[in-house]
Amino acid sequence: MKTPIANGQPIQRRGFMLVLSSPSGAGKTTISRRLLERDPNLTLSVSATTRPRRPGEVQGRDYLFVTPGEFEAMVREGQFLEHANVFGQRYGTPHAPVDAALAGGQDVLFDIDWQGTQQVKEKARDDLVSVFILPPSTSELERRLYARARDPEEVVRTRMARASDEMSHWPEYDYVIVNRDFDESVRQVEAIVQAERLRRERQVGLGAFVRWLREGR
Ligand code: 5GP
């Protein structure tokens, strides 16, 4: 990160954690991918999970796929910023890559559920920006889950049943988006990111910058 030594230099900034949560099928993964493609200052937190790898998923890119024993060892060693049980499988966010990205002035995107979001909130409220994504309707949510066709039918049925529970957590989030139109939802998350980057307390280099302005050099 650069210090503001001349006009036009970026002002030193502290990164934040951008959490996106939603019921499965509300479009969160697609929105996340687009955000990451378009924003070089945003980096993805890759979670560890015990759930089986789906076709097309890549070890280390989509998840760190680990055995229950390996996951338990990571818990014991204190490697997780947060971890939770979701649909009978374990998921957790390793904190080391997140710490490194934030220290480097990057913002970190998390695709985690409400349980993980609560844990991050308890640990680092000031560095958390949370967004909940709702589907436009239940029938559309169901259509998207079936269209995905990557999970067995009983998994889809379980996820539909859980969607209603998950959606009840919307009041715990800073922002809520109804994903009617993909491009519009991406623009809305980008607007949130832009505004949150401009928050005074995140622009830690402002004091030095204003001193430089006032010196009139
Ligand atoms: P999926 O198995 O479909 O990739 O994810 C299932 C759910 O687990 C999603 O709601 C996703 O947000 C959540 N999830 C993924 N990684 C993590 C994590 O590291 N921590 C928590 N708490 N939830 C996660």
Side-chain angles (χ1 to χ4, degrees), residues 2-6 8-12:
K2 309 216 170 49
T3 40
I5 47 165
Q9 291 274 330
I11 291 168
Q12 195 181 357

Side-chain angles (χ1 to χ4, degrees), residues 28 47 51 54 63 82 84 91-93 111-113 116 159:
K28 171 187 51 180
S47 298
R51 87 144 159 75
R54 294 186 187 128
Y63 280 105
E82 61 75 36
Y91 294 81
T93 304
D111 173 343
I112 63 176
D113 81 333
R159 289 183 177 208

